[in-house]
Amino acid sequence: MEQDTIVQNRVAELIPSCLIPKNIIQNLNMIKMYFGISGTEKSGFWDAIKSIQSNDIKASFPQNTPHIVWDAANSEFRQALLELAAFTELPNDVSYSEIEIDDFKPKLDDSLKLFSTTFPELYKVFKEICPFIILGRFPGYGGGTVSTRIGMIWLSPSIDWKVSHWAENIIHEFIHNCLFLEDLVNNIFPFNSIEMENLDSHAISAIRQVKRPYDKSYHSAFVAYGLVEFYLRIFNFTKARKILNPLFICVDDLASNTKYISANGVKLLDELIEGIIEQNNFLETV
Amino acid sequence: MGTNKKEIDSLGKSAIISAEIAADSIRKYQELHTSSGRLNVNVRMALADLADKEVSNAIDATAKAAINNLERYLKAKK
């Protein structure tokens, strides 16, 4: 009971401003404004982002979001799927069988409920930013996002994914989308690909725990922070600790070399540091 | 009344500035993120638990030092 109270008290707010719902909405509104889209329709952001990044997709903003594209390979999302997975050809068995889909559906539904329970306000924003979850099997991969396909999340699930695993993957990809948005509106990474591939810019990634280009490791740090928060909120403290320790190493590396990010990028990183220190302090009390 | 007008003007000006900064940022992002440019592709491997016990112990030890560094970093900034 004591523990319940502590957890309830700590869920007040995420610290990095790029993950705070009202700031994300402000980013959405800026994009709508830039593209001359007025009004408060939830479809406005998708219409705007589609016009610059996903002209090949005709689908309008779905009535119920996220809309699940179960067979992306045989739909207008085929090209997007290839880009999200960073492949030039689709694997032969990219489409899931009906038996697999029947297994996935209830778990996916439950995972969305879990997301909405653990992060109620953020979930509302998720429904607006990520109207499409597209599925396609790429053996060995779990899913992904790409900076030129904001609004879409690719998942490559397997039968052994539990509800929390589905939720973790969706939250993971959603955080990438929040960072793309922040970078789009408020600039985080001002340099081009050649500069970012420079070895000096590499930093230890929080998820893979290997040196990666700065922007990838930076993304991984915010994703890991979000996942720690998710596991804290579902009382899986062991899992939270397992993600948090490598995250400290990653963020220490990022903070020691901030010349590859903008002033806004440094501000967000400072907020993230505050956030993970708070998570660590909290974990020491449970 | 006059103060309100001033406040509204000032809010209006800062909104215009924010919109201009955002417009610059959006243009820059579009220039950088093209199929031949700097894509941020985040493809995730299926394996979730990468670390074995030995690696995990090493990470925990390094993390302690990292926490101290970051606490110092924040203090210095403040």
Side-chain angles (χ1 to χ4, degrees):
Chain A
M1 204 58 184
E2 178 72 11
Q3 202 169 72
D4 280 2
T5 312
I6 294 167
V7 173
Q8 208 58 40
N9 287 344
R10 70 160 277 93
V11 299
E13 207 170 314
L14 293 163
I15 295 178
S17 45
C18 59
L19 299 179
I20 294 175
K22 74 173 169 51
N23 297 333
I24 301 173
I25 290 166
Q26 208 173 338
N27 285 346
L28 294 181
N29 289 337
M30 278 293 182
I31 292 164
K32 287 196 265 186
M33 197 196 299
Y34 180 77
F35 289 97
I37 295 171
S38 56
T40 53
E41 294 287 324
K42 292 212 181 301
S43 60
F45 169 68
W46 172 245
D47 292 340
I49 205 72
K50 195 168 70 157
S51 74
I52 50 164
Q53 294 197 328
S54 296
N55 256 326
D56 56 330
I57 291 171
K58 305 266 181 301
S60 49
F61 190 79
Q63 243 181 346
N64 292 312
T65 58
H67 176 77
I68 315 299
V69 184
W70 291 101
D71 188 10
N74 293 302
S75 74
E76 63 170 332
F77 290 86
R78 182 189 173 90
Q79 183 56 34
L81 175 62
L82 282 167
E83 289 171 25
L84 285 156
F87 272 68
T88 50
E89 277 179 43
L90 296 171
N92 288 335
D93 59 347
V94 64
S95 298
Y96 289 100
S97 69
E98 277 180 32
I99 295 171
E100 286 171 307
I101 292 173
D102 285 346
D103 175 81
F104 293 158
K105 274 182 179 165
K107 289 194 268 189
L108 174 53
D109 283 348
D110 287 348
S111 71
L112 292 172
K113 280 181 205 142
L114 183 59
F115 183 1
S116 70
T117 313
T118 44
F119 298 99
E121 291 307 310
L122 205 57
Y123 185 75
K124 288 179 199 159
V125 183
F126 160 75
K127 283 166 70 70
E128 196 168 341
I129 294 184
C130 298
F132 295 100
I133 295 180
I134 71 176
L135 272 79
R137 182 191 352 250
F138 283 70
Y141 295 92
T145 49
V146 61
S147 54
T148 49
R149 291 284 187 178
I150 301 176
M152 283 174 253
I153 282 177
W154 159 55
L155 294 179
S156 171
S158 59
I159 292 283
D160 59 1
W161 279 21
K162 296 183 183 122
V163 171
S164 61
H165 201 168
W166 277 92
E168 174 185 325
N169 283 313
I170 292 167
I171 293 167
H172 180 132
E173 304 307 345
F174 167 61
I175 293 173
H176 282 303
N177 271 275
C178 291
L179 283 163
F180 293 150
L181 263 188
E182 179 68 22
D183 190 20
L184 180 62
V185 178
N186 297 312
N187 190 255
I188 301 175
F189 309 110
F191 298 106
N192 65 29
S193 53
I194 299 162
E195 289 156 322
M196 291 305 268
E197 286 298 324
N198 182 346
L199 273 181
D200 170 51
S201 80
H202 286 207
I204 296 168
S205 145
I207 307 279
R208 296 194 196 173
Q209 294 150 41
V210 292
K211 285 263 185 188
R212 302 192 72 205
Y214 197 95
D215 56 339
K216 306 251 179 2
S217 291
Y218 188 94
H219 265 252
S220 80
F222 284 80
V223 167
Y225 167 80
L227 296 184
V228 169
E229 199 59 42
F230 170 65
Y231 281 110
L232 289 180
R233 291 178 189 204
I234 62 168
F235 306 95
N236 190 339
F237 302 134
T238 310
K239 190 81 191 244
R241 172 57 73 194
K242 203 167 182 179
I243 303 170
L244 187 58
N245 278 353
L247 173 56
F248 273 111
I249 301 168
C250 163
V251 174
D252 189 26
D253 208 16
L254 291 170
S256 67
N257 187 10
T258 53
K259 66 183 176 203
Y260 291 96
I261 45 177
S262 65
N264 178 46
V266 175
K267 180 183 107 31
L268 293 170
L269 186 62
D270 291 352
E271 292 168 354
L272 180 74
I273 294 170
E274 271 184 48
I276 61 176
I277 288 174
E278 190 276 331
Q279 286 176 330
N280 186 56
N281 290 342
F282 172 75
L283 265 173
E284 283 175 358
T285 68
V286 293
Chain B
M1 202 64 173
T3 311
N4 279 346
K5 169 100 177 55
K6 239 185 213 168
E7 279 171 7
I8 290 165
D9 283 350
S10 145
L11 281 175
K13 267 181 204 154
S14 75
I16 291 167
I17 292 166
S18 301
E20 281 171 1
I21 292 170
D24 273 348
S25 181
I26 293 169
R27 278 192 290 270
K28 191 167 182 68
Y29 186 97
Q30 283 180 266
E31 275 168 28
L32 287 173
H33 294 259
T34 61
S35 53
S36 56
R38 182 170 68 73
L39 289 183
N40 187 319
V41 190
N42 299 286
V43 175
R44 200 158 25 77
M45 310 306 283
L47 289 174
D49 294 324
L50 294 170
D52 62 19
K53 186 88 186 146
E54 213 170 289
V55 176
S56 172
N57 287 342
I59 287 171
D60 293 351
T62 319
K64 282 193 182 136
I67 294 168
N68 290 336
N69 286 346
L70 290 171
E71 280 173 340
R72 274 202 301 273
Y73 170 91
L74 275 192
K75 261 187 204 154
K77 283 224 159 182
K78 280 171 183 168

